[in-house]
Amino acid sequence: MQINSVADLGAYAFWDTDITMLNLEKDKEIIIPRIFERAKLDDVLNTIIFYGIGVCGNILTANKYLPKQAIYLSHLLLSLPLEKFKAYAAPRNNF
């Protein structure tokens, strides 16, 4: 699959964003977590193929606000220990 824009990775995950303003390289810190949070498995796998395991892992583990489901998905697909995720170690409010 040829990936030329964010629309190729799953435009529906960016329903609240003007995807024409996103650059695949400059905005990868926004794109990768959003795909892991809201996209279909095929789109997540295409994101891993496009950016690579290392880049995805570095961005996802550094994200302090990653939801639990994205943490666990990243943990399984990228073989990263849960303790490496800043969002996993961050205290959560019970609201």
Side-chain angles (χ1 to χ4, degrees), residues 2-84:
Q2 184 73 15
I3 297 173
N4 298 315
S5 70
V6 177
D8 297 331
L9 290 175
Y12 57 88
F14 298 90
W15 58 271
D16 60 345
T17 306
D18 181 5
I19 61 172
T20 61
M21 301 300 290
L22 293 174
N23 179 295
L24 285 171
E25 279 306 309
K26 291 180 185 176
D27 299 317
K28 60 187 167 190
E29 289 83 12
I30 297 167
I31 296 168
I32 293 171
R34 179 68 73 99
I35 292 292
F36 272 76
E37 289 171 26
R38 300 183 180 170
K40 297 175 187 172
L41 182 59
D42 287 345
D43 297 327
V44 171
L45 296 175
N46 285 332
T47 301
I48 294 170
I49 291 167
F50 181 75
Y51 286 109
I53 292 173
V55 172
C56 289
N58 289 338
I59 289 172
L60 293 166
T61 55
N63 188 312
K64 294 180 187 177
Y65 305 105
L66 203 61
K68 283 185 184 180
Q69 71 270 16
I71 293 171
Y72 292 127
L73 182 62
S74 306
H75 164 69
L76 291 172
L77 293 178
L78 303 175
S79 299
L80 297 169
L82 289 172
E83 296 77 28
K84 283 191 80 172

